[in-house]
Amino acid sequence: MGHEHIIKENTAMPAAARQRKYASDSIEQDTTIIDIGDGVKIGGNRIVIMAGPCSVESEEQIISIAQELRSMGIRILRGGAYKPRTSPYDFQGLGEEGLEYLKYASRLTGLKIITEVIDPRNVELVTNFADILQIGTRSMQNYPLLREVGKSRMPVLLKRGMSATYKEFLLAAEYIMVGGNEKVILCERGIRTLINELRFTLDLNAVPYLKQRTHLPIIVDPSHGTGSASLVIDMSKAAIACGADGLLIETHPHPQESKSDAAQTISTDELKKSMPGLARIAQAVGRKIDGDNNAD
């Protein structure tokens, strides 16, 4: 995988340097590792699993899930406080109240937090609660938002737009990086195709293709990528096998009760049972699952 280039803190980029491509492998040959803190790193030999519910529903719910994830060795909790939904009548998240619950769960368990920001005006607020800012598929080309998170020192997980080309995806990353924030993590989360049996088509071509063209770490979201809970674990294994640096998985103790994305959410029990299988796939390709008790 070449040399490792760990990013802990960014500095503002000089104006004269802003014509170069920051996401391009021709500029930065080393594999970039994003240091989240407390030993959690994304982009190295260890494959990071980020898991949790689509939406934060209550303090009790998110704390319970965080505790279960910690027992599995998972160190990053995902959960949506602000939810950009297709229908205006669907649950839109708890907002700042949800952020408070995430922060409390983090304090109790030590898990790092990844959560979505959808409004440039809320970036500063969300950075007070999160360890990783998530830019969702609908926001990949929200350039004011990308510029705002580019001013931040916070790691950013950028999801590919549901109809975006690879070039458009990398150029969206450029918007963040030219602002001075080099802590960008790319996320393949499925695209729209002629396949209508599934919510999206998980484009695993993106992982090896982008690995050849960027030094940035690449995460796969098999939950949104399929829209089907029964496919999540199999596609997680495939993602690891083709070189993904991590997984973003929706999980809930009782998926049928989830307020959003129930059809693609696996139970925390199923996730726990799948961990040894994921670890074996990682081992087969010379890597480790982060938090695996059997890892070196």
Side-chain angles (χ1 to χ4, degrees):
M1 295 178 67
H3 299 292
E4 296 178 346
H5 177 57
I6 301 179
I7 297 179
K8 293 186 177 181
E9 185 174 340
N10 72 313
T11 55
M13 299 295 176
R18 295 187 179 183
Q19 296 301 312
R20 73 179 194 173
K21 298 286 181 65
Y22 292 99
S24 171
D25 196 42
S26 64
I27 294 299
E28 178 56 77
Q29 295 294 335
D30 294 342
T31 299
T32 292
I33 297 176
I34 311 296
D35 191 334
I36 309 301
D38 296 327
V40 180
K41 298 175 182 178
I42 300 174
N45 189 55
R46 299 211 175 195
I47 296 166
V48 174
I49 296 179
M50 311 176 191
C54 176
S55 301
V56 179
E57 299 167 5
S58 68
E59 181 180 286
E60 180 182 14
Q61 173 237 25
I62 200 64
I63 290 173
S64 174
I65 293 173
Q67 290 171 335
E68 285 196 69
L69 296 177
R70 184 180 64 176
S71 73
M72 302 177 205
I74 292 172
R75 300 199 287 171
I76 301 179
L77 172 67
R78 62 147 295 154
Y82 297 95
K83 297 301 302 177
R85 307 299 301 281
T86 301
S87 170
Y89 307 109
D90 289 339
F91 178 61
Q92 304 288 313
L94 298 177
E96 189 170 354
E97 181 183 3
L99 294 175
E100 293 279 2
Y101 295 157
L102 282 167
K103 192 71 172 181
Y104 187 46
S106 175
R107 286 199 297 268
L108 289 178
T109 63
L111 269 62
K112 298 298 183 181
I113 299 298
I114 177 171
T115 193
E116 186 168 358
V117 58
I118 62 176
D119 190 324
R121 296 168 296 182
N122 287 343
V123 171
E124 184 176 0
L125 170 66
V126 178
T127 58
N128 291 330
F129 295 90
D131 299 287
I132 306 171
L133 300 175
Q134 177 180 308
I135 303 296
T137 185
R138 294 171 179 82
S139 300
M140 190 204 82
Q141 291 180 308
N142 181 343
Y143 299 122
L145 177 60
L146 300 183
R147 289 191 180 98
E148 196 62 31
V149 299
K151 300 174 186 176
S152 168
R153 294 178 180 270
M154 186 72 62
V156 178
L157 183 140
L158 176 66
K159 285 195 168 189
R160 180 184 176 190
M162 63 185 74
S163 300
T165 65
Y166 299 143
K167 180 179 179 180
E168 290 167 342
F169 191 19
L170 290 175
L171 286 174
E174 293 289 323
Y175 268 90
I176 299 170
M177 298 177 80
V178 297
N181 187 352
E182 296 183 68
K183 300 180 184 178
V184 177
I185 306 154
L186 303 177
C187 181
E188 166 56 40
R189 50 79 64 207
I191 56 172
R192 287 203 166 137
T193 67
L194 296 177
I195 303 298
N196 57 23
E197 288 83 0
L198 299 173
R199 183 178 181 184
F200 293 101
T201 298
L202 186 58
D203 180 19
L204 291 182
N205 294 314
V207 178
Y209 181 90
L210 292 171
K211 285 276 185 178
Q212 296 173 15
R213 287 161 176 79
T214 181
H215 54 93
L216 300 174
I218 303 168
I219 302 294
V220 169
D221 177 349
S223 301
H224 286 89
T226 63
S228 175
S230 67
L231 301 179
V232 167
I233 297 304
D234 285 340
M235 296 310 292
S236 294
K237 292 176 180 177
I240 292 172
C242 74
D245 296 305
L247 302 168
L248 184 67
I249 297 176
E250 290 189 351
T251 187
H252 191 287
H254 307 287
Q256 68 278 7
E257 299 176 8
S258 177
K259 289 187 177 182
S260 54
D261 286 352
Q264 66 193 37
T265 300
I266 64 172
S267 70
T268 48
D269 186 56
E270 183 179 0
L271 178 59
K272 183 176 182 179
K273 291 177 180 177
S274 76
M275 293 294 285
L278 297 177
R280 286 192 293 271
I281 299 296
Q283 185 178 23
V285 295
R287 302 181 77 181
K288 300 280 189 181
I289 298 291
D290 184 63
D292 183 356
N293 293 330
N294 297 314
D296 295 333

